[in-house]
Amino acid sequence: AQSVSQHNHHVILSEAASLELGCNYSYGGTVNLFWYVQYPGQHLQLLLKYFSGDPLVKGIKGFEAEFIKSKFSFNLRKPSVQWSDTAEYFCAVTPYSSASKIIFGSGTRLSIRP
Amino acid sequence: NAGVTQTPKFQVLKTGQSMTLQCAQDMNHNSMYWYRQDPGMGLRLIYYSASEGTTDKGEVPNGYNVSRLNKREFSLRLESAAPSQTSVYFCASMLSEGSQEQYFGPGTRLTVL
């Protein structure tokens, strides 16, 4: 069965620290990959997405993610976090052929100490 | 554009009561979705509607029904609420399955006592 794993459930960092959140998926075919962010009290928003091409994708607010096909991974990174990055981050995967089968990871809660 | 709107924002039900969660989008999107979000489990798809007039089950459909009233509106009904349905419910829409980017509503926090 298809699944998405986010191994870090809660990450606590100080401002200006570097961030990397892990995401691994299990699916044998071509996939599209997403990171969504949910700020406290708000709805999910798309942070970035990968469909094809350059495996290093850049999103909003200085975030980027790298697709490594051989490792089935799509890790999210940011060189220097800010207090305003405090949020929950969700990795999601869909088979290339069908968006209705979007699978979300369980989420990583990121807390930034000012 | 309001995007995706959901009503109500909060609801408390007693076991066995019924209710309908409403969702509307003004982006002329074809596909609409209902998810539930539970701590440590991410979002799980309940039902979706790929286009007006069609609905399909997602990962966790038991205890729910849906209606795609028209292109704009997609409602979720709990016929006989159970405590296990306590959750935050999100509606989402997408232009079409090919576009693959979903837009989410603000959510409905439901508590079943």
PDB file of all heavy atoms in Angstrom, chain A residues 26-64:
ATOM      1  N   SER A  26       6.383   5.398  -0.186  1.00  0.00           N
ATOM      2  CA  SER A  26       6.463   4.094  -0.814  1.00  0.00           C
ATOM      3  C   SER A  26       5.432   4.046  -1.925  1.00  0.00           C
ATOM      4  O   SER A  26       4.232   4.097  -1.670  1.00  0.00           O
ATOM      5  CB  SER A  26       6.191   2.973   0.204  1.00  0.00           C
ATOM      6  OG  SER A  26       4.871   3.064   0.692  1.00  0.00           O
ATOM      7  N   TYR A  27       5.941   4.021  -3.139  1.00  0.00           N
ATOM      8  CA  TYR A  27       5.084   3.885  -4.324  1.00  0.00           C
ATOM      9  C   TYR A  27       6.003   3.570  -5.477  1.00  0.00           C
ATOM     10  O   TYR A  27       7.024   4.225  -5.656  1.00  0.00           O
ATOM     11  CB  TYR A  27       4.299   5.165  -4.600  1.00  0.00           C
ATOM     12  CG  TYR A  27       3.387   5.037  -5.799  1.00  0.00           C
ATOM     13  CD1 TYR A  27       2.215   4.276  -5.719  1.00  0.00           C
ATOM     14  CD2 TYR A  27       3.695   5.641  -7.017  1.00  0.00           C
ATOM     15  CE1 TYR A  27       1.382   4.131  -6.816  1.00  0.00           C
ATOM     16  CE2 TYR A  27       2.868   5.493  -8.122  1.00  0.00           C
ATOM     17  CZ  TYR A  27       1.707   4.737  -8.012  1.00  0.00           C
ATOM     18  OH  TYR A  27       0.887   4.590  -9.099  1.00  0.00           O
ATOM     19  N   GLY A  28       5.649   2.571  -6.258  1.00  0.00           N
ATOM     20  CA  GLY A  28       6.559   2.094  -7.293  1.00  0.00           C
ATOM     21  C   GLY A  28       6.591   2.903  -8.558  1.00  0.00           C
ATOM     22  O   GLY A  28       7.551   2.822  -9.317  1.00  0.00           O
ATOM     23  N   GLY A  29       5.561   3.699  -8.807  1.00  0.00           N
ATOM     24  CA  GLY A  29       5.487   4.412 -10.076  1.00  0.00           C
ATOM     25  C   GLY A  29       5.908   5.860  -9.970  1.00  0.00           C
ATOM     26  O   GLY A  29       6.487   6.293  -8.974  1.00  0.00           O
ATOM     27  N   THR A  30       5.596   6.619 -10.999  1.00  0.00           N
ATOM     28  CA  THR A  30       5.903   8.048 -11.023  1.00  0.00           C
ATOM     29  C   THR A  30       4.964   8.787 -10.083  1.00  0.00           C
ATOM     30  O   THR A  30       3.765   8.517 -10.050  1.00  0.00           O
ATOM     31  CB  THR A  30       5.739   8.591 -12.454  1.00  0.00           C
ATOM     32  OG1 THR A  30       6.574   7.842 -13.334  1.00  0.00           O
ATOM     33  CG2 THR A  30       6.130  10.061 -12.517  1.00  0.00           C
ATOM     34  N   VAL A  31       5.525   9.696  -9.336  1.00  0.00           N
ATOM     35  CA  VAL A  31       4.723  10.426  -8.345  1.00  0.00           C
ATOM     36  C   VAL A  31       4.912  11.928  -8.489  1.00  0.00           C
ATOM     37  O   VAL A  31       5.909  12.397  -9.042  1.00  0.00           O
ATOM     38  CB  VAL A  31       5.089  10.023  -6.901  1.00  0.00           C
ATOM     39  CG1 VAL A  31       4.736   8.570  -6.635  1.00  0.00           C
ATOM     40  CG2 VAL A  31       6.559  10.293  -6.625  1.00  0.00           C
ATOM     41  N   ASN A  32       3.951  12.648  -7.983  1.00  0.00           N
ATOM     42  CA  ASN A  32       4.075  14.081  -7.759  1.00  0.00           C
ATOM     43  C   ASN A  32       4.181  14.286  -6.255  1.00  0.00           C
ATOM     44  O   ASN A  32       3.547  13.565  -5.476  1.00  0.00           O
ATOM     45  CB  ASN A  32       2.874  14.833  -8.313  1.00  0.00           C
ATOM     46  CG  ASN A  32       2.794  14.729  -9.832  1.00  0.00           C
ATOM     47  OD1 ASN A  32       3.809  14.700 -10.510  1.00  0.00           O
ATOM     48  ND2 ASN A  32       1.585  14.656 -10.347  1.00  0.00           N
ATOM     49  N   LEU A  33       4.978  15.249  -5.848  1.00  0.00           N
ATOM     50  CA  LEU A  33       5.295  15.424  -4.429  1.00  0.00           C
ATOM     51  C   LEU A  33       5.001  16.840  -3.976  1.00  0.00           C
ATOM     52  O   LEU A  33       5.212  17.791  -4.733  1.00  0.00           O
ATOM     53  CB  LEU A  33       6.771  15.101  -4.196  1.00  0.00           C
ATOM     54  CG  LEU A  33       7.150  13.658  -4.546  1.00  0.00           C
ATOM     55  CD1 LEU A  33       8.597  13.576  -4.989  1.00  0.00           C
ATOM     56  CD2 LEU A  33       6.930  12.762  -3.335  1.00  0.00           C
ATOM     57  N   PHE A  34       4.539  16.958  -2.760  1.00  0.00           N
ATOM     58  CA  PHE A  34       4.128  18.249  -2.225  1.00  0.00           C
ATOM     59  C   PHE A  34       4.589  18.394  -0.778  1.00  0.00           C
ATOM     60  O   PHE A  34       4.705  17.414  -0.046  1.00  0.00           O
ATOM     61  CB  PHE A  34       2.591  18.376  -2.220  1.00  0.00           C
ATOM     62  CG  PHE A  34       1.939  18.129  -3.550  1.00  0.00           C
ATOM     63  CD1 PHE A  34       1.674  16.839  -3.975  1.00  0.00           C
ATOM     64  CD2 PHE A  34       1.572  19.183  -4.361  1.00  0.00           C
ATOM     65  CE1 PHE A  34       1.070  16.598  -5.203  1.00  0.00           C
ATOM     66  CE2 PHE A  34       0.959  18.953  -5.586  1.00  0.00           C
ATOM     67  CZ  PHE A  34       0.709  17.665  -6.007  1.00  0.00           C
ATOM     68  N   TRP A  35       4.809  19.629  -0.384  1.00  0.00           N
ATOM     69  CA  TRP A  35       4.878  19.989   1.025  1.00  0.00           C
ATOM     70  C   TRP A  35       3.819  21.061   1.269  1.00  0.00           C
ATOM     71  O   TRP A  35       3.763  22.073   0.544  1.00  0.00           O
ATOM     72  CB  TRP A  35       6.252  20.537   1.415  1.00  0.00           C
ATOM     73  CG  TRP A  35       7.248  19.484   1.738  1.00  0.00           C
ATOM     74  CD1 TRP A  35       8.210  18.960   0.936  1.00  0.00           C
ATOM     75  CD2 TRP A  35       7.402  18.826   3.003  1.00  0.00           C
ATOM     76  NE1 TRP A  35       8.937  18.013   1.593  1.00  0.00           N
ATOM     77  CE2 TRP A  35       8.468  17.913   2.864  1.00  0.00           C
ATOM     78  CE3 TRP A  35       6.750  18.918   4.237  1.00  0.00           C
ATOM     79  CZ2 TRP A  35       8.907  17.091   3.915  1.00  0.00           C
ATOM     80  CZ3 TRP A  35       7.181  18.108   5.281  1.00  0.00           C
ATOM     81  CH2 TRP A  35       8.244  17.208   5.114  1.00  0.00           C
ATOM     82  N   TYR A  36       2.997  20.808   2.279  1.00  0.00           N
ATOM     83  CA  TYR A  36       2.002  21.779   2.715  1.00  0.00           C
ATOM     84  C   TYR A  36       2.388  22.259   4.115  1.00  0.00           C
ATOM     85  O   TYR A  36       2.984  21.516   4.897  1.00  0.00           O
ATOM     86  CB  TYR A  36       0.605  21.155   2.783  1.00  0.00           C
ATOM     87  CG  TYR A  36      -0.081  20.985   1.450  1.00  0.00           C
ATOM     88  CD1 TYR A  36       0.139  19.862   0.666  1.00  0.00           C
ATOM     89  CD2 TYR A  36      -0.966  21.953   0.974  1.00  0.00           C
ATOM     90  CE1 TYR A  36      -0.497  19.701  -0.551  1.00  0.00           C
ATOM     91  CE2 TYR A  36      -1.616  21.796  -0.252  1.00  0.00           C
ATOM     92  CZ  TYR A  36      -1.368  20.669  -0.999  1.00  0.00           C
ATOM     93  OH  TYR A  36      -2.001  20.513  -2.205  1.00  0.00           O
ATOM     94  N   VAL A  37       1.982  23.473   4.444  1.00  0.00           N
ATOM     95  CA  VAL A  37       2.241  24.032   5.766  1.00  0.00           C
ATOM     96  C   VAL A  37       0.915  24.490   6.385  1.00  0.00           C
ATOM     97  O   VAL A  37       0.025  24.970   5.681  1.00  0.00           O
ATOM     98  CB  VAL A  37       3.242  25.211   5.697  1.00  0.00           C
ATOM     99  CG1 VAL A  37       2.720  26.343   4.818  1.00  0.00           C
ATOM    100  CG2 VAL A  37       3.561  25.734   7.091  1.00  0.00           C
ATOM    101  N   GLN A  38       0.791  24.282   7.672  1.00  0.00           N
ATOM    102  CA  GLN A  38      -0.401  24.713   8.400  1.00  0.00           C
ATOM    103  C   GLN A  38       0.054  25.557   9.585  1.00  0.00           C
ATOM    104  O   GLN A  38       0.557  25.029  10.582  1.00  0.00           O
ATOM    105  CB  GLN A  38      -1.209  23.509   8.876  1.00  0.00           C
ATOM    106  CG  GLN A  38      -2.533  23.884   9.528  1.00  0.00           C
ATOM    107  CD  GLN A  38      -3.327  22.645   9.935  1.00  0.00           C
ATOM    108  OE1 GLN A  38      -2.769  21.594  10.217  1.00  0.00           O
ATOM    109  NE2 GLN A  38      -4.639  22.782   9.967  1.00  0.00           N
ATOM    110  N   TYR A  39      -0.087  26.872   9.458  1.00  0.00           N
ATOM    111  CA  TYR A  39       0.255  27.764  10.562  1.00  0.00           C
ATOM    112  C   TYR A  39      -0.818  27.660  11.640  1.00  0.00           C
ATOM    113  O   TYR A  39      -1.961  27.298  11.349  1.00  0.00           O
ATOM    114  CB  TYR A  39       0.407  29.198  10.071  1.00  0.00           C
ATOM    115  CG  TYR A  39       1.542  29.357   9.093  1.00  0.00           C
ATOM    116  CD1 TYR A  39       1.315  29.487   7.728  1.00  0.00           C
ATOM    117  CD2 TYR A  39       2.868  29.323   9.533  1.00  0.00           C
ATOM    118  CE1 TYR A  39       2.354  29.594   6.830  1.00  0.00           C
ATOM    119  CE2 TYR A  39       3.918  29.424   8.641  1.00  0.00           C
ATOM    120  CZ  TYR A  39       3.651  29.559   7.290  1.00  0.00           C
ATOM    121  OH  TYR A  39       4.694  29.649   6.405  1.00  0.00           O
ATOM    122  N   PRO A  40      -0.477  27.956  12.882  1.00  0.00           N
ATOM    123  CA  PRO A  40      -1.437  27.798  13.984  1.00  0.00           C
ATOM    124  C   PRO A  40      -2.771  28.464  13.695  1.00  0.00           C
ATOM    125  O   PRO A  40      -2.826  29.651  13.359  1.00  0.00           O
ATOM    126  CB  PRO A  40      -0.714  28.456  15.158  1.00  0.00           C
ATOM    127  CG  PRO A  40       0.736  28.305  14.847  1.00  0.00           C
ATOM    128  CD  PRO A  40       0.842  28.427  13.356  1.00  0.00           C
ATOM    129  N   GLY A  41      -3.834  27.685  13.787  1.00  0.00           N
ATOM    130  CA  GLY A  41      -5.175  28.214  13.591  1.00  0.00           C
ATOM    131  C   GLY A  41      -5.564  28.471  12.156  1.00  0.00           C
ATOM    132  O   GLY A  41      -6.636  29.024  11.895  1.00  0.00           O
ATOM    133  N   GLN A  42      -4.714  28.085  11.226  1.00  0.00           N
ATOM    134  CA  GLN A  42      -5.010  28.350   9.822  1.00  0.00           C
ATOM    135  C   GLN A  42      -5.167  27.049   9.027  1.00  0.00           C
ATOM    136  O   GLN A  42      -4.921  25.966   9.527  1.00  0.00           O
ATOM    137  CB  GLN A  42      -3.903  29.203   9.199  1.00  0.00           C
ATOM    138  CG  GLN A  42      -3.781  30.583   9.819  1.00  0.00           C
ATOM    139  CD  GLN A  42      -2.817  31.465   9.048  1.00  0.00           C
ATOM    140  OE1 GLN A  42      -2.613  31.288   7.840  1.00  0.00           O
ATOM    141  NE2 GLN A  42      -2.228  32.418   9.739  1.00  0.00           N
ATOM    142  N   HIS A  43      -5.601  27.192   7.771  1.00  0.00           N
ATOM    143  CA  HIS A  43      -5.757  26.020   6.931  1.00  0.00           C
ATOM    144  C   HIS A  43      -4.453  25.681   6.216  1.00  0.00           C
ATOM    145  O   HIS A  43      -3.493  26.460   6.282  1.00  0.00           O
ATOM    146  CB  HIS A  43      -6.869  26.265   5.914  1.00  0.00           C
ATOM    147  CG  HIS A  43      -6.629  27.460   5.050  1.00  0.00           C
ATOM    148  ND1 HIS A  43      -6.897  28.744   5.467  1.00  0.00           N
ATOM    149  CD2 HIS A  43      -6.147  27.572   3.797  1.00  0.00           C
ATOM    150  CE1 HIS A  43      -6.600  29.582   4.508  1.00  0.00           C
ATOM    151  NE2 HIS A  43      -6.140  28.910   3.478  1.00  0.00           N
ATOM    152  N   LEU A  44      -4.406  24.554   5.605  1.00  0.00           N
ATOM    153  CA  LEU A  44      -3.212  24.120   4.887  1.00  0.00           C
ATOM    154  C   LEU A  44      -2.968  24.993   3.661  1.00  0.00           C
ATOM    155  O   LEU A  44      -3.897  25.351   2.941  1.00  0.00           O
ATOM    156  CB  LEU A  44      -3.348  22.671   4.431  1.00  0.00           C
ATOM    157  CG  LEU A  44      -2.963  21.616   5.436  1.00  0.00           C
ATOM    158  CD1 LEU A  44      -4.102  21.398   6.413  1.00  0.00           C
ATOM    159  CD2 LEU A  44      -2.629  20.305   4.734  1.00  0.00           C
ATOM    160  N   GLN A  45      -1.684  25.274   3.444  1.00  0.00           N
ATOM    161  CA  GLN A  45      -1.293  26.038   2.255  1.00  0.00           C
ATOM    162  C   GLN A  45      -0.162  25.294   1.579  1.00  0.00           C
ATOM    163  O   GLN A  45       0.674  24.693   2.248  1.00  0.00           O
ATOM    164  CB  GLN A  45      -0.779  27.423   2.648  1.00  0.00           C
ATOM    165  CG  GLN A  45      -1.720  28.256   3.470  1.00  0.00           C
ATOM    166  CD  GLN A  45      -1.030  29.482   4.005  1.00  0.00           C
ATOM    167  OE1 GLN A  45      -0.295  30.160   3.283  1.00  0.00           O
ATOM    168  NE2 GLN A  45      -1.249  29.773   5.271  1.00  0.00           N
ATOM    169  N   LEU A  46      -0.124  25.372   0.262  1.00  0.00           N
ATOM    170  CA  LEU A  46       0.942  24.729  -0.480  1.00  0.00           C
ATOM    171  C   LEU A  46       2.248  25.494  -0.287  1.00  0.00           C
ATOM    172  O   LEU A  46       2.301  26.714  -0.461  1.00  0.00           O
ATOM    173  CB  LEU A  46       0.589  24.673  -1.961  1.00  0.00           C
ATOM    174  CG  LEU A  46       1.593  23.956  -2.849  1.00  0.00           C
ATOM    175  CD1 LEU A  46       1.607  22.459  -2.522  1.00  0.00           C
ATOM    176  CD2 LEU A  46       1.250  24.166  -4.322  1.00  0.00           C
ATOM    177  N   LEU A  47       3.291  24.759   0.084  1.00  0.00           N
ATOM    178  CA  LEU A  47       4.615  25.351   0.287  1.00  0.00           C
ATOM    179  C   LEU A  47       5.450  25.211  -0.984  1.00  0.00           C
ATOM    180  O   LEU A  47       6.100  26.151  -1.431  1.00  0.00           O
ATOM    181  CB  LEU A  47       5.290  24.643   1.451  1.00  0.00           C
ATOM    182  CG  LEU A  47       6.439  25.282   2.188  1.00  0.00           C
ATOM    183  CD1 LEU A  47       6.069  26.655   2.700  1.00  0.00           C
ATOM    184  CD2 LEU A  47       6.873  24.395   3.352  1.00  0.00           C
ATOM    185  N   LEU A  48       5.458  24.011  -1.535  1.00  0.00           N
ATOM    186  CA  LEU A  48       6.147  23.761  -2.789  1.00  0.00           C
ATOM    187  C   LEU A  48       5.703  22.420  -3.356  1.00  0.00           C
ATOM    188  O   LEU A  48       5.058  21.635  -2.663  1.00  0.00           O
ATOM    189  CB  LEU A  48       7.670  23.788  -2.609  1.00  0.00           C
ATOM    190  CG  LEU A  48       8.303  22.980  -1.482  1.00  0.00           C
ATOM    191  CD1 LEU A  48       8.388  21.513  -1.821  1.00  0.00           C
ATOM    192  CD2 LEU A  48       9.678  23.521  -1.126  1.00  0.00           C
ATOM    193  N   LYS A  49       6.058  22.190  -4.616  1.00  0.00           N
ATOM    194  CA  LYS A  49       5.637  20.957  -5.284  1.00  0.00           C
ATOM    195  C   LYS A  49       6.688  20.540  -6.298  1.00  0.00           C
ATOM    196  O   LYS A  49       7.439  21.374  -6.816  1.00  0.00           O
ATOM    197  CB  LYS A  49       4.288  21.154  -5.974  1.00  0.00           C
ATOM    198  CG  LYS A  49       4.309  22.237  -7.044  1.00  0.00           C
ATOM    199  CD  LYS A  49       2.919  22.524  -7.563  1.00  0.00           C
ATOM    200  CE  LYS A  49       2.951  23.667  -8.581  1.00  0.00           C
ATOM    201  NZ  LYS A  49       1.595  24.077  -9.012  1.00  0.00           N
ATOM    202  N   TYR A  50       6.735  19.246  -6.548  1.00  0.00           N
ATOM    203  CA  TYR A  50       7.599  18.695  -7.577  1.00  0.00           C
ATOM    204  C   TYR A  50       6.768  17.829  -8.495  1.00  0.00           C
ATOM    205  O   TYR A  50       6.109  16.885  -8.039  1.00  0.00           O
ATOM    206  CB  TYR A  50       8.732  17.870  -6.958  1.00  0.00           C
ATOM    207  CG  TYR A  50       9.521  17.133  -8.015  1.00  0.00           C
ATOM    208  CD1 TYR A  50      10.497  17.789  -8.755  1.00  0.00           C
ATOM    209  CD2 TYR A  50       9.264  15.790  -8.296  1.00  0.00           C
ATOM    210  CE1 TYR A  50      11.197  17.133  -9.742  1.00  0.00           C
ATOM    211  CE2 TYR A  50       9.961  15.127  -9.285  1.00  0.00           C
ATOM    212  CZ  TYR A  50      10.928  15.801 -10.007  1.00  0.00           C
ATOM    213  OH  TYR A  50      11.612  15.153 -10.987  1.00  0.00           O
ATOM    214  N   PHE A  51       6.824  18.143  -9.785  1.00  0.00           N
ATOM    215  CA  PHE A  51       6.142  17.313 -10.769  1.00  0.00           C
ATOM    216  C   PHE A  51       7.172  16.607 -11.646  1.00  0.00           C
ATOM    217  O   PHE A  51       7.056  15.414 -11.921  1.00  0.00           O
ATOM    218  CB  PHE A  51       5.217  18.161 -11.647  1.00  0.00           C
ATOM    219  CG  PHE A  51       3.936  18.578 -10.954  1.00  0.00           C
ATOM    220  CD1 PHE A  51       3.681  18.237  -9.638  1.00  0.00           C
ATOM    221  CD2 PHE A  51       2.992  19.327 -11.618  1.00  0.00           C
ATOM    222  CE1 PHE A  51       2.517  18.624  -8.996  1.00  0.00           C
ATOM    223  CE2 PHE A  51       1.808  19.727 -10.998  1.00  0.00           C
ATOM    224  CZ  PHE A  51       1.573  19.378  -9.691  1.00  0.00           C
ATOM    225  N   SER A  52       8.161  17.351 -12.130  1.00  0.00           N
ATOM    226  CA  SER A  52       9.202  16.771 -12.981  1.00  0.00           C
ATOM    227  C   SER A  52      10.310  17.806 -13.127  1.00  0.00           C
ATOM    228  O   SER A  52      10.207  18.929 -12.635  1.00  0.00           O
ATOM    229  CB  SER A  52       8.630  16.415 -14.363  1.00  0.00           C
ATOM    230  OG  SER A  52       8.189  17.579 -15.030  1.00  0.00           O
ATOM    231  N   GLY A  53      11.404  17.414 -13.773  1.00  0.00           N
ATOM    232  CA  GLY A  53      12.479  18.351 -14.037  1.00  0.00           C
ATOM    233  C   GLY A  53      13.493  18.401 -12.918  1.00  0.00           C
ATOM    234  O   GLY A  53      13.804  17.387 -12.285  1.00  0.00           O
ATOM    235  N   ASP A  54      14.020  19.577 -12.653  1.00  0.00           N
ATOM    236  CA  ASP A  54      15.045  19.781 -11.634  1.00  0.00           C
ATOM    237  C   ASP A  54      14.558  19.221 -10.293  1.00  0.00           C
ATOM    238  O   ASP A  54      13.530  19.658  -9.783  1.00  0.00           O
ATOM    239  CB  ASP A  54      15.361  21.270 -11.495  1.00  0.00           C
ATOM    240  CG  ASP A  54      16.563  21.555 -10.602  1.00  0.00           C
ATOM    241  OD1 ASP A  54      16.971  20.650  -9.834  1.00  0.00           O
ATOM    242  OD2 ASP A  54      17.074  22.684 -10.664  1.00  0.00           O
ATOM    243  N   PRO A  55      15.288  18.265  -9.717  1.00  0.00           N
ATOM    244  CA  PRO A  55      14.825  17.655  -8.468  1.00  0.00           C
ATOM    245  C   PRO A  55      14.921  18.582  -7.260  1.00  0.00           C
ATOM    246  O   PRO A  55      14.395  18.257  -6.199  1.00  0.00           O
ATOM    247  CB  PRO A  55      15.745  16.449  -8.304  1.00  0.00           C
ATOM    248  CG  PRO A  55      16.970  16.796  -9.065  1.00  0.00           C
ATOM    249  CD  PRO A  55      16.513  17.631 -10.222  1.00  0.00           C
ATOM    250  N   LEU A  56      15.605  19.699  -7.413  1.00  0.00           N
ATOM    251  CA  LEU A  56      15.666  20.679  -6.321  1.00  0.00           C
ATOM    252  C   LEU A  56      14.642  21.773  -6.619  1.00  0.00           C
ATOM    253  O   LEU A  56      14.777  22.520  -7.584  1.00  0.00           O
ATOM    254  CB  LEU A  56      17.071  21.273  -6.219  1.00  0.00           C
ATOM    255  CG  LEU A  56      17.296  22.248  -5.061  1.00  0.00           C
ATOM    256  CD1 LEU A  56      17.101  21.547  -3.715  1.00  0.00           C
ATOM    257  CD2 LEU A  56      18.697  22.851  -5.136  1.00  0.00           C
ATOM    258  N   VAL A  57      13.603  21.824  -5.804  1.00  0.00           N
ATOM    259  CA  VAL A  57      12.540  22.795  -6.049  1.00  0.00           C
ATOM    260  C   VAL A  57      12.512  23.838  -4.946  1.00  0.00           C
ATOM    261  O   VAL A  57      12.773  23.534  -3.775  1.00  0.00           O
ATOM    262  CB  VAL A  57      11.165  22.109  -6.145  1.00  0.00           C
ATOM    263  CG1 VAL A  57      11.097  21.249  -7.373  1.00  0.00           C
ATOM    264  CG2 VAL A  57      10.845  21.313  -4.912  1.00  0.00           C
ATOM    265  N   LYS A  58      12.217  25.041  -5.352  1.00  0.00           N
ATOM    266  CA  LYS A  58      12.152  26.143  -4.386  1.00  0.00           C
ATOM    267  C   LYS A  58      10.700  26.560  -4.201  1.00  0.00           C
ATOM    268  O   LYS A  58       9.916  26.601  -5.154  1.00  0.00           O
ATOM    269  CB  LYS A  58      12.989  27.310  -4.872  1.00  0.00           C
ATOM    270  CG  LYS A  58      14.484  26.977  -4.953  1.00  0.00           C
ATOM    271  CD  LYS A  58      15.333  28.194  -5.181  1.00  0.00           C
ATOM    272  CE  LYS A  58      16.798  27.819  -5.361  1.00  0.00           C
ATOM    273  NZ  LYS A  58      17.336  27.124  -4.171  1.00  0.00           N
ATOM    274  N   GLY A  59      10.357  26.834  -2.935  1.00  0.00           N
ATOM    275  CA  GLY A  59       8.997  27.246  -2.643  1.00  0.00           C
ATOM    276  C   GLY A  59       8.971  28.630  -2.039  1.00  0.00           C
ATOM    277  O   GLY A  59       9.915  29.403  -2.166  1.00  0.00           O
ATOM    278  N   ILE A  60       7.878  28.906  -1.357  1.00  0.00           N
ATOM    279  CA  ILE A  60       7.723  30.219  -0.751  1.00  0.00           C
ATOM    280  C   ILE A  60       8.512  30.309   0.549  1.00  0.00           C
ATOM    281  O   ILE A  60       8.906  29.288   1.124  1.00  0.00           O
ATOM    282  CB  ILE A  60       6.233  30.522  -0.483  1.00  0.00           C
ATOM    283  CG1 ILE A  60       5.631  29.480   0.482  1.00  0.00           C
ATOM    284  CG2 ILE A  60       5.447  30.563  -1.780  1.00  0.00           C
ATOM    285  CD1 ILE A  60       4.236  29.815   0.948  1.00  0.00           C
ATOM    286  N   LYS A  61       8.792  31.527   0.965  1.00  0.00           N
ATOM    287  CA  LYS A  61       9.402  31.822   2.267  1.00  0.00           C
ATOM    288  C   LYS A  61      10.757  31.163   2.451  1.00  0.00           C
ATOM    289  O   LYS A  61      11.137  30.840   3.574  1.00  0.00           O
ATOM    290  CB  LYS A  61       8.451  31.442   3.405  1.00  0.00           C
ATOM    291  CG  LYS A  61       7.095  32.136   3.299  1.00  0.00           C
ATOM    292  CD  LYS A  61       6.211  31.876   4.478  1.00  0.00           C
ATOM    293  CE  LYS A  61       4.891  32.612   4.282  1.00  0.00           C
ATOM    294  NZ  LYS A  61       3.992  32.518   5.431  1.00  0.00           N
ATOM    295  N   GLY A  62      11.504  30.965   1.369  1.00  0.00           N
ATOM    296  CA  GLY A  62      12.862  30.465   1.480  1.00  0.00           C
ATOM    297  C   GLY A  62      12.997  28.969   1.645  1.00  0.00           C
ATOM    298  O   GLY A  62      14.093  28.449   1.865  1.00  0.00           O
ATOM    299  N   PHE A  63      11.888  28.236   1.545  1.00  0.00           N
ATOM    300  CA  PHE A  63      11.950  26.784   1.660  1.00  0.00           C
ATOM    301  C   PHE A  63      12.345  26.152   0.329  1.00  0.00           C
ATOM    302  O   PHE A  63      12.055  26.674  -0.738  1.00  0.00           O
ATOM    303  CB  PHE A  63      10.591  26.221   2.096  1.00  0.00           C
ATOM    304  CG  PHE A  63      10.288  26.448   3.545  1.00  0.00           C
ATOM    305  CD1 PHE A  63       9.606  27.593   3.958  1.00  0.00           C
ATOM    306  CD2 PHE A  63      10.673  25.527   4.505  1.00  0.00           C
ATOM    307  CE1 PHE A  63       9.328  27.813   5.302  1.00  0.00           C
ATOM    308  CE2 PHE A  63      10.387  25.733   5.848  1.00  0.00           C
ATOM    309  CZ  PHE A  63       9.719  26.876   6.252  1.00  0.00           C
ATOM    310  N   GLU A  64      12.987  25.007   0.416  1.00  0.00           N
ATOM    311  CA  GLU A  64      13.302  24.213  -0.748  1.00  0.00           C
ATOM    312  C   GLU A  64      13.201  22.740  -0.389  1.00  0.00           C
ATOM    313  O   GLU A  64      13.211  22.386   0.793  1.00  0.00           O
ATOM    314  CB  GLU A  64      14.696  24.530  -1.291  1.00  0.00           C
ATOM    315  CG  GLU A  64      15.830  24.184  -0.357  1.00  0.00           C
ATOM    316  CD  GLU A  64      17.186  24.505  -0.953  1.00  0.00           C
ATOM    317  OE1 GLU A  64      17.290  25.473  -1.743  1.00  0.00           O
ATOM    318  OE2 GLU A  64      18.146  23.779  -0.631  1.00  0.00           O
TER     319      GLU A  64
END
